[in-house]
Amino acid sequence: MLFCTFIAADRNFASADEAVDIETGNRLASVLRAGRGVISNNQELINDASIGDKGFTGEVFFSAAIEAYLKKNGEHPLDEGLDPESRSMTETQINAMVEVVDESQEIINADGLAFKGFIPAVFARLANEKFGEEMADRASIKVTAPKELVRNRKARPDEWENEVIVTKFQAADWPVGEAFYEETAVDGKPAFRMLIPEYYSESCLACHGSPKGETDVTGFPKEGGSVGDLAGAISITLYK
């Protein structure tokens, strides 16, 4: 699934520290989107049952993800101007995505198997989990969604995420693509939290479109969504 890629807007009253956190959050979200887009664009290759070794290695993925990020953002995700902490987080995220692709070679190259199940949502979850393990108490990334759209229990919104989705993103007057962020606490620890909404694009509808209730290729019932409907959100947590 490929979501529309709106970049969260900075608010005029953001402090200097908040501005850095917002920039970091946007970068992490953009890197994830770039990587997820590469997986989406290679679904036909990944699911080609007539080919064994697809040649879709972590190295190939890395080059394509960097190219996608450059095309969308006009700069390298590891731009020389990054502060050490932002660079560390971004490098960890990129390495996590590459490792997921390398560790998934057996299923990607399974000969005679058409649908591999290595879809963008699965890739993102695995990469985010690996990132979280590496970052420990420094940062986390999660893709979540409105409760009624969640397919994997691990993606369920926590209380804070659900509150933002319901009261902000699902409100008729919420600006399309605008993120919500605030200084708060997670398990008693101070943190900067940022939630960036995502919307169905045309490529999502094969699994999430109409007719509602019809079983899609992954075995789940379709949600009956339309292009532009709220599909989910990228949740970024930066611990203080």
Side-chain angles (χ1 to χ4, degrees):
M1 184 195 336
L2 184 61
F3 296 101
C4 298
T5 53
F6 294 102
I7 299 299
D10 293 357
R11 299 174 187 175
N12 292 331
F13 55 80
S15 67
D17 287 343
E18 266 189 334
V20 172
D21 289 337
I22 291 167
E23 182 178 0
T24 299
N26 275 328
R27 181 179 298 103
L28 294 175
S30 293
V31 170
L32 178 63
R33 284 167 166 166
R36 194 173 55 187
V38 172
I39 301 301
S40 177
N41 294 337
N42 281 277
Q43 285 296 289
E44 184 175 351
L45 172 63
I46 292 170
N47 293 321
D48 191 333
S50 67
I51 303 174
D53 186 353
K54 309 294 193 303
F56 187 66
T57 63
E59 183 178 357
V60 170
F61 165 83
F62 173 81
S63 297
I66 295 300
E67 181 180 352
Y69 185 96
L70 279 166
K71 183 176 181 180
K72 180 65 180 179
N73 299 281
E75 62 180 15
H76 196 285
L78 295 173
D79 184 75
E80 292 182 359
L82 287 183
D83 64 89
E85 181 68 0
S86 294
R87 176 175 294 277
S88 174
M89 289 186 186
T90 307
E91 286 178 340
T92 300
Q93 184 187 30
I94 293 172
N95 289 339
M97 295 194 297
V98 170
E99 288 175 16
V100 166
V101 174
D102 278 336
E103 292 171 0
S104 302
Q105 288 300 295
E106 183 176 355
I107 186 64
I108 290 173
N109 296 324
D111 195 6
L113 179 63
F115 180 64
K116 307 299 193 306
F118 191 64
I119 58 176
V122 170
F123 160 80
R125 176 178 59 79
L126 294 173
N128 290 341
E129 288 175 356
K130 191 175 288 291
F131 174 85
E133 291 169 1
E134 292 292 327
M135 287 287 98
D137 59 353
R138 293 168 60 194
S140 67
I141 307 172
K142 172 185 173 185
V143 178
T144 187
K147 287 183 177 180
E148 65 273 15
L149 300 180
V150 173
R151 293 186 172 189
N152 188 310
R153 291 176 62 86
K154 292 183 178 181
R156 289 179 301 177
D158 64 19
E159 185 176 349
W160 181 87
E161 292 162 341
N162 185 64
E163 178 73 12
V164 175
I165 289 171
V166 172
T167 64
K168 307 296 183 183
F169 297 169
Q170 291 182 328
D173 59 349
W174 187 259
V176 173
E178 182 172 312
F180 179 84
Y181 57 83
E182 68 176 346
E183 298 281 349
T184 182
V186 178
D187 296 328
K189 184 172 183 178
F192 171 85
R193 300 200 69 179
M194 184 175 189
L195 201 64
I196 306 172
E198 298 197 294
Y199 306 86
Y200 288 132
S201 66
E202 189 65 43
S203 65
C204 301
L205 301 186
C207 290
H208 301 281
S210 296
K212 184 176 181 178
E214 180 181 80
T215 302
D216 69 14
V217 67
T218 69
F220 284 91
K222 294 182 178 180
E223 290 83 0
S226 300
V227 172
D229 287 351
L230 179 69
I234 297 177
S235 182
I236 307 290
T237 302
L238 306 178
Y239 296 99
K240 301 300 181 179

